[in-house]
Amino acid sequence: MVRVTRAWLFLLALSAGSTALSVAVAEGALAGILATLGGAAILTLAWAKARMILNAYLRLDEAPALRRGFGLALALYALVLLGLYLAG
Amino acid sequence: MAEARSAFDDLPGDLMIWVLIVSELLVFGAGLAAFLGVRITDPAGFAAAQDHLHRAAAGVNTVVLVTSGWLAALGAQAVEAGRLGRGRRFLAGATVLGALFLAIKAAEYGDMAAAGIGIETHAFFTFYYLVTGFHAAHVAAGIVVLPLVAARARAREVEAGVAFWHMVDLVWVLVFPVLYLLR
């Protein structure tokens, strides 16, 4: 299976996972600290999807030094979003 | 004497398209961070406002856009391999899915307008309309760009057009959870 097809399937699976988590929170299946952890997991899945698009779709996996740079910037940004979410 | 290699020599595609991609990511990134920053002042109001959004439609749109990106990537690979007809078909599929994304988004905006929800209804909706509207404008640009580069089917141009499309995809996978899913 070609790399972009694996990436596509991975992206679909992660999108389904984040939607399922959101539904669980919205319908009260996850409450309190579990709801907060669910939100953190949704952001973590978003970070994983963004990494996959950069590396597979935009082909940064062919440029290891740039992949590391983009990966670091994206990870720091995801941490900023997580911090703002947890503060809310 | 040979020139020292730069990390940018390994960059897939033109440097300028990457400058554009990074610029756009910074703009959308700042918008989403500002959204979560303002949410701190009224988390209950933001959660109540979010309940008016169509999560299922946005979920479908995520599948549509991610699949469109996959077709665009396959199209770029086919053109690079010299299989121009196959490449054009993949790019046409990516364009059709882009148009479907916009149609679903337009239906969502129509429902919101019918419910009397506008940009000034709540701070949540100010960010919602600005971020998703700006993103939709990029999708609209993409569905113009993709057929243009597909028609000429030159590998370098297709790669640049498809990279733009992936940027649109990348922004959406961040916008979707932050605006539609986070409680």
Side-chain angles (χ1 to χ4, degrees), chain A residues 1-9, chain B residues 70:
Chain A
M1 195 186 303
V2 294
R3 168 92 165 118
V4 292
T5 300
R6 278 201 307 270
W8 171 59
L9 294 172
Chain B
W70 171 59

PDB file of all heavy atoms in Angstrom, chain A residues 1-9, chain B residues 70:
ATOM      1  N   MET A   1       0.853  -1.191   0.000  1.00  0.00           N
ATOM      2  CA  MET A   1       0.000   0.000   0.000  1.00  0.00           C
ATOM      3  C   MET A   1       0.892   1.245   0.000  1.00  0.00           C
ATOM      4  O   MET A   1       1.852   1.307   0.757  1.00  0.00           O
ATOM      5  CB  MET A   1      -0.877  -0.019   1.248  1.00  0.00           C
ATOM      6  CG  MET A   1      -2.032   0.959   1.175  1.00  0.00           C
ATOM      7  SD  MET A   1      -2.964   1.050   2.724  1.00  0.00           S
ATOM      8  CE  MET A   1      -3.466  -0.635   2.977  1.00  0.00           C
ATOM      9  N   VAL A   2       0.588   2.205  -0.855  1.00  0.00           N
ATOM     10  CA  VAL A   2       1.464   3.372  -0.932  1.00  0.00           C
ATOM     11  C   VAL A   2       1.322   4.216   0.337  1.00  0.00           C
ATOM     12  O   VAL A   2       0.312   4.161   1.035  1.00  0.00           O
ATOM     13  CB  VAL A   2       1.165   4.224  -2.192  1.00  0.00           C
ATOM     14  CG1 VAL A   2       1.502   3.472  -3.450  1.00  0.00           C
ATOM     15  CG2 VAL A   2      -0.267   4.703  -2.206  1.00  0.00           C
ATOM     16  N   ARG A   3       2.381   4.989   0.566  1.00  0.00           N
ATOM     17  CA  ARG A   3       2.462   5.794   1.799  1.00  0.00           C
ATOM     18  C   ARG A   3       1.248   6.714   1.971  1.00  0.00           C
ATOM     19  O   ARG A   3       0.690   6.812   3.063  1.00  0.00           O
ATOM     20  CB  ARG A   3       3.761   6.616   1.716  1.00  0.00           C
ATOM     21  CG  ARG A   3       3.904   7.721   2.734  1.00  0.00           C
ATOM     22  CD  ARG A   3       4.620   7.217   3.960  1.00  0.00           C
ATOM     23  NE  ARG A   3       5.082   8.292   4.804  1.00  0.00           N
ATOM     24  CZ  ARG A   3       4.668   8.467   6.065  1.00  0.00           C
ATOM     25  NH1 ARG A   3       3.780   7.662   6.584  1.00  0.00           N
ATOM     26  NH2 ARG A   3       5.147   9.443   6.792  1.00  0.00           N
ATOM     27  N   VAL A   4       0.828   7.409   0.901  1.00  0.00           N
ATOM     28  CA  VAL A   4      -0.279   8.360   1.054  1.00  0.00           C
ATOM     29  C   VAL A   4      -1.602   7.647   1.364  1.00  0.00           C
ATOM     30  O   VAL A   4      -2.454   8.199   2.053  1.00  0.00           O
ATOM     31  CB  VAL A   4      -0.442   9.285  -0.176  1.00  0.00           C
ATOM     32  CG1 VAL A   4       0.722  10.248  -0.296  1.00  0.00           C
ATOM     33  CG2 VAL A   4      -0.650   8.508  -1.437  1.00  0.00           C
ATOM     34  N   THR A   5      -1.752   6.416   0.896  1.00  0.00           N
ATOM     35  CA  THR A   5      -2.980   5.672   1.191  1.00  0.00           C
ATOM     36  C   THR A   5      -3.006   5.249   2.658  1.00  0.00           C
ATOM     37  O   THR A   5      -4.042   5.337   3.326  1.00  0.00           O
ATOM     38  CB  THR A   5      -3.101   4.452   0.256  1.00  0.00           C
ATOM     39  OG1 THR A   5      -3.136   4.927  -1.089  1.00  0.00           O
ATOM     40  CG2 THR A   5      -4.370   3.666   0.540  1.00  0.00           C
ATOM     41  N   ARG A   6      -1.857   4.823   3.165  1.00  0.00           N
ATOM     42  CA  ARG A   6      -1.768   4.508   4.606  1.00  0.00           C
ATOM     43  C   ARG A   6      -2.085   5.752   5.422  1.00  0.00           C
ATOM     44  O   ARG A   6      -2.800   5.708   6.415  1.00  0.00           O
ATOM     45  CB  ARG A   6      -0.370   3.990   4.950  1.00  0.00           C
ATOM     46  CG  ARG A   6      -0.163   2.521   4.649  1.00  0.00           C
ATOM     47  CD  ARG A   6       1.005   1.947   5.471  1.00  0.00           C
ATOM     48  NE  ARG A   6       2.225   2.739   5.312  1.00  0.00           N
ATOM     49  CZ  ARG A   6       3.144   2.519   4.380  1.00  0.00           C
ATOM     50  NH1 ARG A   6       2.978   1.530   3.526  1.00  0.00           N
ATOM     51  NH2 ARG A   6       4.225   3.261   4.304  1.00  0.00           N
ATOM     52  N   ALA A   7      -1.534   6.891   4.984  1.00  0.00           N
ATOM     53  CA  ALA A   7      -1.768   8.152   5.705  1.00  0.00           C
ATOM     54  C   ALA A   7      -3.252   8.507   5.690  1.00  0.00           C
ATOM     55  O   ALA A   7      -3.813   8.938   6.703  1.00  0.00           O
ATOM     56  CB  ALA A   7      -0.948   9.279   5.067  1.00  0.00           C
ATOM     57  N   TRP A   8      -3.889   8.319   4.551  1.00  0.00           N
ATOM     58  CA  TRP A   8      -5.329   8.631   4.420  1.00  0.00           C
ATOM     59  C   TRP A   8      -6.151   7.787   5.394  1.00  0.00           C
ATOM     60  O   TRP A   8      -7.013   8.309   6.115  1.00  0.00           O
ATOM     61  CB  TRP A   8      -5.755   8.382   2.968  1.00  0.00           C
ATOM     62  CG  TRP A   8      -7.220   8.448   2.717  1.00  0.00           C
ATOM     63  CD1 TRP A   8      -8.053   9.508   2.932  1.00  0.00           C
ATOM     64  CD2 TRP A   8      -8.036   7.391   2.206  1.00  0.00           C
ATOM     65  NE1 TRP A   8      -9.337   9.177   2.570  1.00  0.00           N
ATOM     66  CE2 TRP A   8      -9.361   7.887   2.117  1.00  0.00           C
ATOM     67  CE3 TRP A   8      -7.772   6.083   1.788  1.00  0.00           C
ATOM     68  CZ2 TRP A   8     -10.418   7.119   1.648  1.00  0.00           C
ATOM     69  CZ3 TRP A   8      -8.834   5.326   1.319  1.00  0.00           C
ATOM     70  CH2 TRP A   8     -10.128   5.832   1.256  1.00  0.00           C
ATOM     71  N   LEU A   9      -5.858   6.475   5.431  1.00  0.00           N
ATOM     72  CA  LEU A   9      -6.593   5.591   6.343  1.00  0.00           C
ATOM     73  C   LEU A   9      -6.354   5.979   7.800  1.00  0.00           C
ATOM     74  O   LEU A   9      -7.271   5.986   8.634  1.00  0.00           O
ATOM     75  CB  LEU A   9      -6.184   4.129   6.099  1.00  0.00           C
ATOM     76  CG  LEU A   9      -6.597   3.575   4.723  1.00  0.00           C
ATOM     77  CD1 LEU A   9      -5.981   2.197   4.494  1.00  0.00           C
ATOM     78  CD2 LEU A   9      -8.119   3.502   4.610  1.00  0.00           C
TER      79      LEU A   9
ATOM     80  N   TRP B  70      -5.982  13.079  -0.262  1.00  0.00           N
ATOM     81  CA  TRP B  70      -5.407  11.789  -0.698  1.00  0.00           C
ATOM     82  C   TRP B  70      -5.433  11.687  -2.228  1.00  0.00           C
ATOM     83  O   TRP B  70      -4.425  11.327  -2.857  1.00  0.00           O
ATOM     84  CB  TRP B  70      -6.216  10.661  -0.053  1.00  0.00           C
ATOM     85  CG  TRP B  70      -5.911   9.279  -0.529  1.00  0.00           C
ATOM     86  CD1 TRP B  70      -4.708   8.639  -0.475  1.00  0.00           C
ATOM     87  CD2 TRP B  70      -6.841   8.373  -1.129  1.00  0.00           C
ATOM     88  NE1 TRP B  70      -4.839   7.371  -1.003  1.00  0.00           N
ATOM     89  CE2 TRP B  70      -6.121   7.180  -1.404  1.00  0.00           C
ATOM     90  CE3 TRP B  70      -8.190   8.426  -1.441  1.00  0.00           C
ATOM     91  CZ2 TRP B  70      -6.723   6.079  -2.002  1.00  0.00           C
ATOM     92  CZ3 TRP B  70      -8.797   7.325  -2.025  1.00  0.00           C
ATOM     93  CH2 TRP B  70      -8.066   6.170  -2.294  1.00  0.00           C
TER      94      TRP B  70
END
